[in-house]
Amino acid sequence: MQTDSMKGKVAIVTGAARGIGREIVRELVSGGATVVAVDLLADAMADLAQAVGAADGQVDCRTLDVTNSEGFTALVEDVAARYEHIDVLVNNAGITRDGLLIRMEDADWEKVIKVNLTSAFIGTRAVGKYMVRQRSGSIVNMASYSGIEGNRGQANYAASKAGLIGLTKTTAKELAGKKVRCNAVAPGFIKTDMTDALPQQAKDIALSLIPLKEMGLPQDIAKAVAFLASDDSSYITGQVLSVDGGMHM
Ligand code: NAD
């Protein structure tokens, strides 16, 4: 991203330890932001600041399960107190528990909804309070192609991502009057640990659906998130930006 386009801004990024989240941290840091990186995996965040080329104090790692409502709310309050403003929230943490609908266990449904959707509600409610008071802020939710189109074997995941799109548009409508924006990015098939775990047959099917004929990279998603997080997108709210090699068109 353009150097200095995020200078002075404070961003919270969830699911920051690896994959797409790590690249979002890198992109925001390169634009000059201070990033509060949140993840379950403390060990995986140990090298984060160095790996993304952050200056001293530019990445502030916090170990947290974002489904913990009290914990996530307290973290936001602590960030607001420490940095005196919160400019960006990226609700990126997400999991899959795939399986065909008629065999899906309640626990797999509930876990995915809680991590992917409920955590974004908790985070948005918590930062919303501060952003409304500041009269500025940008929230970016990590949706998915599956949330737009549905996907066999992903009833829980697709429902969580479709729910995130509803949350995005509602947040955008409720907070626009206070100059707080909310958008979503909908990745297609991106090369990360999440997709590496898929069987080869599923990868082949996904690849055959991509007009640009290759998987995306975490950086492709991070650049779109950084654009929506920055003032470069100051007249954009309530949108779902597909970054998917043309799968959804
Ligand atoms: P990943 O599994 O590589 O990374 C997800 C990160 O979220 C991990 O670091 C994990 O520890 C963290 N996390 C999971 N549950 C958490 C919790 N309860 N609290 C805090 N942190 C938690 O996945 P990824 O591929 O980088 O995906 C990132 C986001 O992008 C997810 O929301 C995913 O649904 C979405 N997405 C990915 C793809 C893809 O093709 N990889 C496609 C569409 C959408």
Side-chain angles (χ1 to χ4, degrees), residues 131-132 134-138 175-181 234-235:
M131 290 179 171
V132 160
Q134 286 167 193
R135 296 242 174 328
S136 69
S138 174
L175 304 189
K178 305 291 183 195
K179 299 286 183 212
V180 178
R181 300 182 297 110
S234 58
Y235 201 53

Side-chain angles (χ1 to χ4, degrees), residues 101-121:
L101 171 72
I102 57 172
R103 291 195 214 116
M104 188 171 283
E105 306 272 354
D106 288 0
D108 288 333
W109 170 270
E110 280 156 14
K111 180 78 183 166
V112 168
I113 297 292
K114 220 169 162 189
V115 175
N116 296 7
L117 178 58
T118 308
S119 71
F121 158 69

Side-chain angles (χ1 to χ4, degrees), residues 143-215:
S144 169
Y145 171 81
S146 298
I148 300 171
E149 296 285 341
N151 196 19
R152 272 173 53 84
Q154 290 198 314
N156 49 2
Y157 183 81
S160 72
K161 296 299 187 180
L164 270 178
I165 292 172
L167 175 66
T168 300
K169 293 184 178 184
T170 301
T171 305
K173 285 186 175 173
E174 287 195 16
L175 304 189
K178 305 291 183 195
K179 299 286 183 212
V180 178
R181 300 182 297 110
C182 184
N183 293 285
V185 171
F189 194 43
I190 310 302
K191 198 165 168 31
T192 65
D193 290 344
M194 185 181 269
T195 47
D196 282 348
L198 290 171
Q200 190 56 45
Q201 197 195 4
K203 290 185 192 167
D204 291 342
I205 293 171
L207 262 177
S208 72
L209 297 172
I210 305 174
L212 286 179
K213 292 288 168 223
E214 57 188 0
M215 287 176 79

Side-chain angles (χ1 to χ4, degrees), residues 15 17-21 39-41 64-67 92-95 115 142-144 157 161 187-190 192-195:
R18 65 182 195 196
I20 291 171
D39 206 287
L40 274 177
L41 307 173
L64 177 81
D65 179 342
V66 289
T67 66
N92 166 73
I95 58 165
V115 175
M142 196 55 68
S144 169
Y157 183 81
K161 296 299 187 180
F189 194 43
I190 310 302
T192 65
D193 290 344
M194 185 181 269
T195 47

